[in-house]
Amino acid sequence: MYDQTNPVLSNFCFFLRRHSIDELPQLINILRGDMALVGPRPLLEEYLPLYNNFQRKRHQVRPGITGLAQIQGRNAISWEKKFDLDVWYTQHISFSLDRKILLKSLRAVWSPINVREQGLHDHEKFRGNPPLLNVQL
């Protein structure tokens, strides 16, 4: 999205990304039934083997265009916090919660915060969890 040789295109792409307009094509996935408006954001397939049992619970619901993690900090929160919010959502899913998330998401689109300015990279790559120590008491 960043091209030093074409600053007009770069500015246009930055505007699309900053205001999440680049997410609109996902509406096709909603119409097909592959996604929901609200739910945990889909992550890269390469992350699947890195999830622990708790993090896998985020797959109990359809992925969404927006979710609890997006309105709670977008790119400014850690992977652990994102997974905690995603799993909490799956355990507390309701129409009223979805409505609140949608309203806050719309507000975030008009007033974008926590969008990375430099290079428009989303977030650092998920590297999995440190191995748990087997402690015997």
Side-chain angles (χ1 to χ4, degrees), residues 23-38:
E23 304 287 344
L24 289 178
Q26 292 186 32
L27 291 175
I28 295 168
N29 292 325
I30 292 173
L31 294 174
R32 289 184 5 196
D34 296 336
M35 289 183 78
L37 280 174
V38 179

Side-chain angles (χ1 to χ4, degrees), residues 31-126:
L31 294 174
R32 289 184 5 196
D34 296 336
M35 289 183 78
L37 280 174
V38 179
R41 290 282 297 157
L43 297 176
L44 297 174
E45 195 172 317
E46 68 188 61
Y47 294 166
L48 287 173
L50 303 175
Y51 298 154
N52 62 31
N53 288 335
F54 175 77
Q55 294 164 339
R56 282 188 192 95
K57 292 180 181 181
R58 71 188 305 277
H59 296 287
Q60 293 175 345
V61 298
R62 275 187 290 170
I65 290 179
T66 187
L68 196 53
Q70 283 64 48
I71 64 167
Q72 294 291 328
R74 216 169 180 173
N75 293 328
I77 60 177
S78 68
W79 279 107
E80 291 79 18
K81 181 72 172 170
K82 283 183 183 186
F83 282 114
D84 287 347
L85 291 167
D86 286 346
V87 172
W88 187 92
Y89 172 81
T90 66
Q91 297 169 344
H92 296 88
I93 192 169
S94 70
F95 178 75
S96 64
L97 178 59
D98 283 0
R99 187 171 46 90
K100 288 177 188 175
I101 292 171
L102 282 172
L103 290 174
K104 287 188 176 188
S105 295
L106 289 173
R107 215 174 305 143
V109 167
W110 297 122
S111 165
I113 55 172
N114 296 322
V115 176
R116 297 201 177 190
E117 305 280 338
Q118 302 166 340
L120 300 173
H121 297 291
D122 284 335
H123 199 275
E124 67 184 47
K125 194 171 182 162
F126 179 61

Side-chain angles (χ1 to χ4, degrees), residues 16-27:
L16 290 177
R17 181 69 185 115
R18 180 171 179 85
H19 294 283
S20 300
I21 296 169
D22 60 328
E23 304 287 344
L24 289 178
Q26 292 186 32
L27 291 175

